[in-house]
Amino acid sequence: MTENNFEIKILYGTQSGTAKKYSEIFAEKAKEVADIVSVVNLADYDPEDLGTEKALCVFFVSTYTEGSAPETAKFFFEWLSEATVDFRVDKDFLRDLKYAVFGLADSAYGDNFNKAGKTLNLCLKKMQGKRVFPMGVGDASDEQEETFNKWTNKIIQHLKSKMAENVEYESTDEETVEKEVMDLEELGSLASKLKVKGDSSEVKEMVTPIVRESLQKQGYKIIGSHSGVKICRWTKSMLRGRGGCYKHTFYGIESHRCMETTPSLACANKCVFCWRHHTNPVGTEWKWKMDNAEFVLNGAIENHQKMIKQMKGVPGVGQERMDEAFEIKHCALSLVGEPIMYPEINQFVTLLHQKRISSFLVTNAQFPELITSLVPVTQLYVSVDAATKESLKKIDRPLFKDFWERFLASLSELSKKGQRTVYRLTLVKDFNVNELDNYIELVKRGQPDFIEIKGVTFCGYTGSNPLTMSNVPYHKEVVEFCKLFVSHLPDYELSCEHEHSCSILIAHKKFKIDNEWYTWIDYEKFHEFANSESSFTSLDYMTKTPSWALYGSNERGFDPNETRFYRKKASKDEPIDHGC
Ligand SMILES: Cc1cc2nc3c(=O)[nH]c(=O)nc-3n(C[C@H](O)[C@H](O)[C@H](O)COP(=O)(O)O)c2cc1C
Ligand code: SF4
């Protein structure tokens, strides 16, 4: 044993066990030079950990059909290949990684010889990983085991001699040539070949143990492997008789009977104002193990009710509200992630309606075809985070290359849905507030029934989040924006305001009848329609808005039946929780 705390991690990807066997043999040899030696199946390894890996990583990876990686290493390879071409992943993400690769292959496969090994080697190098030894390649048609033994002896010798000097291996000319041959397109096509299909029992869970732990710390209850539920601050507030969220004011939801949940914690964006930043699962399609809709909904209800129960005894929580809260009336599918990515979203929504729970679903406008196929929801939202291609890229940091086309197509699809539709605009100073003309164009395209406008909430500084408090607009700036906005939209007017959370509602004038606003929802009527075969539109389940909810009312959108609670110190530096 040495005394320098040197660690070697052996990571293998195998189909028929050879790479695993080699890893175990290598581990025994590695003990000659390292203090800590571990052997890890790539199936159990989170590729994001590579960026902070302290150990020297030695990979043993075989190549399979058409040059693909072994089944068990697919997720790892796919992640790595995508990260290499993802403009949001730092180009030198692996600058601290030291690694070596041994590919198990067969020359009988011609052009696909050792393709997985080569891909791995190049991806790691491309992200500035430090290769400490040339790649070894074992040919199953030509004394593979002997090649492995020789390579093992050489690298161990090399490490022994270089350890004291801490010298890193430099690429040979041969490898530089190899690097040029394996261009990005090749990596891209490999990634797409690796897309997981078929039997869900073989695919990965969306929420890794690390993400699960982090979410739980933030108060999320995780249901199965891809869904979450969390009690909203406005649910608690209304339970205590201190007022509901802006959706109570705008649409008459009872916040204490609202469950905020998501059946997909993953998303196709990495929005700058999102809490998940770099830890969230992302993907352009569903590629994870899936729990069925009934399981997700039952789990969400059960966990939500448990959280409601915990509110018992909290000052202000009365028995009547408590009893009501147990009977969930609304479901806000807007917690985090992209709910329409969930393959059983239609079943999920249908189950909600069967239980007479209304559905408020928010999508990030990256899946137009899923908007088309979505069953009627009580209110369908699109987050319109920016109005130009450039700022959308800056704010949402989308995964799709054709994100702008997808965004526009989503808005067009929205205009064809018969039920209530909403644009949700989050104003971010210096990012999107100066794009009024472009927003007007987007409204013309999607013709939403409503436009909700609020200022961005500051979620704290992180390395990956460029927002600061100076990007948070004041309420009066939000109001000014809204006034200017409607002055260019002849079909719309400012209808409601929830000053408490700095939110404004702009509504289509079709909801103004005989000079009275009908922005509230007749939920029972909605359920009658949703649970029947008949077609219906947003005008079929509207109901009158109370005077206190209207823009310009004395109450400024605060329900007079509630007791307003003023926080002692409210300053611009304190984030406002607008609600979902
Ligand atoms: C169905 C099948 C497909 C294969 N395809 C390739 C290939 O495309 N390229 C290659 O270099 N080797 C290919 N091989 C050879 C394997 O990589 C080689 O047998 C290796 O030693 C297997 O290691 P493992 O048992 O750890 O998975 C293939 C082997 C099988 C059985
Ligand atoms: S803010 Fe959202 S989750 Fe909270 S009560 Fe209102 S609608 Fe429900």
Side-chain angles (χ1 to χ4, degrees):
M1 287 275 277
T2 59
E3 288 181 2
N4 58 359
N5 247 350
F6 179 44
E7 184 180 351
I8 295 183
K9 191 171 278 179
I10 302 153
L11 297 132
Y12 67 85
T14 185
Q15 190 90 11
S16 53
T18 324
K20 183 176 182 222
K21 188 180 90 184
Y22 285 5
S23 297
E24 284 160 358
I25 297 170
F26 188 87
E28 286 308 309
K29 286 269 182 194
K31 287 176 188 164
E32 292 174 20
V33 287
D35 305 272
I36 308 163
V37 177
S38 56
V39 178
V40 182
N41 188 339
L42 280 176
D44 304 322
Y45 187 77
D46 188 338
E48 291 203 33
D49 289 349
L50 281 178
T52 51
E53 197 58 79
K54 297 275 176 282
L56 163 65
C57 292
V58 182
F59 294 87
F60 288 90
V61 180
S62 60
T63 297
Y64 266 83
T65 314
E66 291 184 277
S68 65
E71 279 288 316
T72 50
K74 269 183 176 173
F75 180 82
F76 179 89
F77 269 73
E78 190 176 13
W79 187 93
L80 202 62
S81 301
E82 284 178 0
T84 318
V85 290
D86 187 338
F87 61 87
R88 288 154 304 134
V89 177
D90 292 343
K91 288 201 165 23
D92 62 348
F93 176 61
L94 299 182
R95 60 191 168 276
D96 296 327
L97 178 75
K98 292 190 173 55
Y99 74 93
V101 175
F102 186 89
L104 290 86
D106 192 332
S107 54
Y109 289 91
D111 287 350
N112 287 330
F113 179 56
N114 188 35
K115 201 160 179 180
K118 281 186 202 166
T119 303
L120 174 63
N121 201 27
L122 289 169
C123 286
L124 299 176
K125 190 73 198 152
K126 190 168 161 44
M127 285 191 281
Q128 306 300 314
K130 306 284 182 307
R131 190 158 47 206
V132 303
F133 200 70
M135 178 170 56
V137 186
D139 182 353
S141 295
D142 186 16
E143 299 181 318
Q144 190 181 54
E145 190 147 352
E146 201 181 319
T147 312
F148 159 72
N149 285 330
K150 278 187 188 159
W151 185 82
T152 299
N153 290 337
K154 275 188 187 162
I155 185 173
I156 298 293
Q157 268 318 110
H158 175 78
L159 292 173
K160 276 182 185 165
S161 63
K162 298 293 175 193
M163 254 171 58
E165 303 160 44
N166 198 19
V167 171
E168 282 163 7
Y169 171 75
E170 297 293 337
S171 294
T172 62
D173 285 343
E174 193 192 338
E175 280 168 342
T176 312
V177 173
E178 181 188 73
K179 186 175 174 183
E180 283 166 9
V181 172
M182 194 74 173
D183 62 15
L184 286 184
E185 266 177 31
E186 225 176 320
L187 294 180
S189 73
L190 182 69
S192 63
K193 273 185 199 146
L194 293 175
K195 291 232 183 298
V196 179
K197 292 192 178 76
D199 184 1
S200 68
S201 64
E202 285 172 29
V203 297
K204 278 240 168 191
E205 294 199 339
M206 180 193 289
V207 177
T208 62
I210 302 158
V211 173
R212 183 179 290 268
E213 201 186 314
S214 143
L215 288 170
Q216 282 167 343
K217 270 190 200 146
Q218 294 168 62
Y220 289 83
K221 304 286 173 213
I222 309 301
I223 307 139
S225 62
H226 53 76
S227 310
V229 62
K230 188 181 180 186
I231 190 163
C232 161
R233 103 128 171 102
W234 291 102
T235 301
K236 292 183 197 166
S237 167
M238 199 147 180
L239 258 173
R240 303 174 75 182
R242 290 178 173 187
C245 69
Y246 75 89
K247 284 200 187 88
H248 173 61
T249 302
F250 297 174
Y251 317 116
I253 81 141
E254 298 170 273
S255 299
H256 64 299
R257 309 176 89 173
C258 178
M259 172 175 77
E260 192 178 20
T261 187
T262 182
S264 169
L265 287 155
C267 186
N269 290 342
K270 278 181 184 273
C271 301
V272 293
F273 43 72
C274 180
W275 59 270
R276 296 161 303 158
H277 307 306
H278 276 302
T279 56
N280 64 309
V282 286
T284 53
E285 63 176 6
W286 190 273
K287 55 185 176 184
W288 304 277
K289 202 175 148 189
M290 192 195 71
D291 302 316
N292 71 50
E294 206 172 344
F295 171 85
V296 175
L297 181 56
N298 289 342
I301 292 175
E302 197 182 306
N303 279 290
H304 178 81
Q305 287 174 335
K306 267 188 204 157
M307 290 186 280
I308 293 286
K309 218 181 235 170
Q310 284 165 5
M311 289 294 291
K312 214 175 176 153
V314 171
V317 177
Q319 192 55 47
E320 196 184 334
R321 287 255 158 121
M322 198 71 184
D323 292 343
E324 284 174 352
F326 271 95
E327 201 190 321
I328 299 163
K329 286 281 178 197
H330 314 284
C331 178
L333 287 153
S334 48
L335 184 58
V336 285
E338 175 53 273
I340 58 170
M341 273 179 96
Y342 174 46
E344 290 200 0
I345 189 63
N346 280 339
Q347 290 92 317
F348 188 86
V349 167
T350 305
L351 283 171
L352 282 174
H353 298 160
Q354 282 168 3
K355 290 181 188 291
R356 297 190 108 68
I357 298 174
S358 68
S359 51
F360 287 71
L361 188 147
V362 183
T363 169
N364 286 326
Q366 288 297 293
F367 298 95
E369 68 288 356
L370 297 180
I371 293 181
T372 315
S373 61
L374 187 69
V375 296
V377 295
T378 313
Q379 193 150 283
L380 177 60
Y381 284 77
V382 165
S383 291
V384 181
D385 296 332
T388 66
K389 188 175 177 179
E390 293 67 36
S391 52
L392 192 71
K393 187 170 172 180
K394 214 159 80 169
I395 292 179
D396 280 3
R397 302 189 289 191
L399 238 63
F400 282 112
K401 283 203 184 97
D402 58 344
F403 65 94
W404 183 245
E405 289 72 23
R406 286 175 167 274
F407 178 70
L408 293 180
S410 295
L411 301 187
S412 301
E413 285 313 307
L414 196 81
S415 72
K416 297 175 198 157
K417 304 297 282 188
Q419 295 72 39
R420 295 164 71 107
T421 55
V422 185
Y423 275 11
R424 201 169 71 164
L425 263 68
T426 306
L427 297 185
V428 189
K429 243 160 110 177
D430 301 329
F431 276 71
N432 62 2
V433 283
N434 304 323
E435 298 177 344
L436 195 74
D437 291 346
N438 308 76
Y439 275 117
I440 291 163
E441 286 310 308
L442 295 183
V443 171
K444 284 182 189 159
R445 178 182 283 266
Q447 296 159 41
D449 291 331
F450 303 98
I451 306 165
E452 290 175 2
I453 307 208
K454 56 193 175 189
V456 69
T457 307
F458 179 58
C459 359
Y461 297 97
T462 73
S464 63
N465 188 341
L467 295 187
T468 68
M469 273 313 295
S470 66
N471 298 115
V472 179
Y474 285 100
H475 182 56
K476 67 173 191 308
E477 292 171 317
V478 175
V479 174
E480 274 161 26
F481 178 91
C482 292
K483 283 184 178 165
L484 197 60
F485 200 16
V486 290
S487 71
H488 292 87
L489 297 170
D491 291 334
Y492 294 82
E493 262 181 44
L494 262 66
S495 59
C496 302
E497 178 183 18
H498 188 236
E499 188 207 33
H500 203 146
S501 67
C502 300
S503 305
I504 302 281
L505 181 68
I506 293 173
H508 195 285
K509 284 185 192 163
K510 65 186 175 188
F511 294 93
K512 196 175 189 182
I513 297 159
D514 294 336
N515 226 18
E516 306 223 73
W517 280 110
Y518 283 73
T519 64
W520 274 36
I521 295 171
D522 184 332
Y523 293 98
E524 276 313 304
K525 239 185 196 164
F526 170 79
H527 291 307
E528 273 166 38
F529 280 115
N531 291 316
S532 73
E533 296 294 307
S534 43
S535 62
F536 62 107
T537 73
S538 53
L539 298 178
D540 291 324
Y541 57 103
M542 62 182 181
T543 193
K544 202 170 148 189
T545 317
S547 61
W548 58 263
L550 299 175
Y551 176 74
S553 71
N554 289 337
E555 294 87 351
R556 310 298 290 263
F558 191 83
D559 186 341
N561 295 318
E562 303 285 305
T563 310
R564 186 148 185 184
F565 177 77
Y566 290 90
R567 285 185 302 166
K568 284 196 188 93
K569 257 171 64 184
S571 78
K572 190 179 182 239
D573 286 350
E574 274 181 75
I576 302 156
D577 186 349
H578 300 282
C580 70

